Amino acid sequence: MTFADEVKNAVTPRAALLVIGVLGLQLLFIASYVGALHKPKPTDVPFGVVAPQQMSAQLIAELKNLPGGPLDPRTVADAATAREQVLNREIDGALIVSPRSTTDTVLIASGGGAALADTLTKIITKVDLTQQRTVRSVDVAPASDQDFDGLSSFYLVVGWCVGGYLCASILAISAGSKPANRQRALIRTGVMALYSIVGGIGGAIIIGPILGALPGSFWGLSGLGALTVFAVGMLTLALQALTGIVGIGLAVLIVVIAGNPSAGGAFPLPMLPDFWRAIGPALPPGAGTWVARSIAYFKGNAVTGPLLVLSAWAAAGTLVTLLLSMRRRPDDAAGDTAPVGSTAD
């Protein structure tokens, strides 16, 4: 047998295509993470301004016209309202101008991301210096001292996402990449649901009672974890039902390559390029990270939209998986009678 024949036997056309696909994922991984995170800068950050009426319009115009457009300033009635809007996650910070002194206050929320909070303080400090004024920062939603740069929420959600697509991949590969019948699909969905509950509770135990990295409701985080794991797991099962083993790569593409760098983890959404800040809230890592931070630092505010996003992924994945399992294929008979550990289907 010639060397060329040995190569053909060792690397089948199918294997070669899969290797090329893996190479593509590898390059996309590098491009996505470096592209999204190599040069973070704030753009159109929702920002409140509390100032005397005679200077409010001029100040807002000045903030709006800063080079690069870092802020999207708007008038806020008073300091209490500004604080409430920050806690409700309607704005990311606010400047409160003191008419009786030369020291102003900037409200920040490091629990939503320390990088953004620090950046807002620097921007306002620089603006006030031009007016011979100084700034003091007040953190209305401070990150835990066990949560460096507010990253724990992001890594918690990443762990849940990894568990979701790995569990789904194992369930499918162990008996073929496509569900051969409705019963098998139902069993996989049930196992995925049970795994999601255990994974959600386990993650909340580690991040809370064991490490003390995140405050907030233990059961709230557990429920979020279960929904996140199930959403990613059912998305993966659905993609596998549609495309076979390629579905694992597609799940990695959606969740890891597109979802993680756009999640607002290392740098909050307002600091990401336009494309990434646009897709982030619609993907499981971004939705999960937002809710985890809200539970931990913002009294559970502003979670309805992200929870609906996660629920939509879970529902769509479950529906596609179950519908495709009812479609009869020529090899169904062989698949139905094959041993559990086989790959006949």
Side-chain angles (χ1 to χ4, degrees):
M1 182 178 292
T2 66
F3 178 75
D5 291 332
E6 289 285 1
V7 171
K8 290 179 181 179
N9 286 335
V11 183
T12 64
R14 182 170 183 267
L17 288 174
L18 289 175
V19 169
I20 292 172
V22 169
L23 176 61
L25 287 177
Q26 172 186 301
L27 297 178
L28 284 172
F29 184 97
I30 296 171
S32 66
Y33 277 72
V34 177
L37 306 176
H38 78 289
K39 191 179 179 182
K41 62 177 182 178
T43 306
D44 294 330
V45 180
F47 191 80
V49 174
V50 180
Q53 186 174 1
Q54 62 270 22
M55 63 183 302
S56 179
Q58 179 181 349
L59 180 56
I60 286 180
E62 182 179 354
L63 295 178
K64 189 182 291 287
N65 293 323
L66 289 174
L71 303 180
D72 177 18
R74 71 282 309 270
T75 301
V76 178
D78 51 46
T81 302
R83 179 183 290 266
E84 182 181 358
Q85 289 186 5
V86 172
L87 289 174
N88 288 337
R89 309 198 75 176
E90 298 172 20
I91 57 177
D92 291 305
L95 171 63
I96 302 172
V97 176
S98 172
R100 298 177 181 175
S101 73
T102 58
T103 300
D104 300 328
T105 300
V106 59
L107 302 183
I108 56 174
S110 61
L116 180 58
D118 292 343
T119 298
L120 290 177
T121 301
K122 291 176 182 177
I123 290 173
I124 299 304
T125 298
K126 188 175 181 180
V127 170
D128 265 28
L129 279 175
T130 64
Q131 306 295 327
Q132 288 77 50
R133 300 179 67 85
T134 57
V135 168
R136 69 183 184 96
S137 63
V138 174
D139 198 339
V140 299
S144 164
D145 58 5
Q146 301 297 313
D147 180 16
F148 177 75
D149 274 359
L151 291 173
S152 297
S153 301
F154 171 60
Y155 290 124
L156 173 64
V157 172
V158 168
W160 281 329
C161 290
V162 169
Y165 66 72
L166 286 182
C167 179
S169 300
I170 291 170
L171 287 173
I173 292 174
S174 66
S177 59
K178 295 183 180 180
N181 53 52
R182 182 172 55 185
Q183 288 75 21
R184 182 178 293 173
L186 286 170
I187 290 171
R188 291 176 180 176
T189 301
V191 172
M192 195 70 245
L194 179 60
Y195 174 88
S196 300
I197 294 171
V198 175
I201 294 174
I205 290 174
I206 293 171
I207 205 75
I210 293 179
L211 298 179
L214 283 185
S217 167
F218 168 80
W219 290 111
L221 289 173
S222 297
L224 169 63
L227 179 57
T228 302
V229 175
F230 189 71
V232 173
M234 294 313 299
L235 162 65
T236 306
L237 285 178
L239 291 172
Q240 289 168 339
L242 282 168
T243 64
I245 197 171
V246 174
I248 298 175
L250 294 177
V252 171
L253 177 64
I254 294 172
V255 177
V256 178
I257 294 176
N260 285 354
S262 65
F267 300 105
L269 288 175
M271 300 187 72
L272 299 181
D274 290 343
F275 172 75
W276 299 103
R277 68 192 296 182
I279 68 171
L283 298 175
T289 298
W290 178 278
V291 176
R293 283 176 170 163
S294 288
I295 291 173
Y297 299 119
F298 295 91
K299 303 179 181 180
N301 294 325
V303 299
T304 302
L307 288 177
L308 287 176
V309 168
L310 291 171
S311 299
W313 283 106
T318 302
L319 183 63
V320 170
T321 300
L322 296 180
L323 285 177
L324 290 180
S325 72
M326 294 185 285
R327 184 179 63 182
R328 303 299 294 179
R329 297 185 298 274
D331 59 343
D332 277 353
D336 291 344
T337 59
V340 172
S342 75
T343 57
D345 58 328

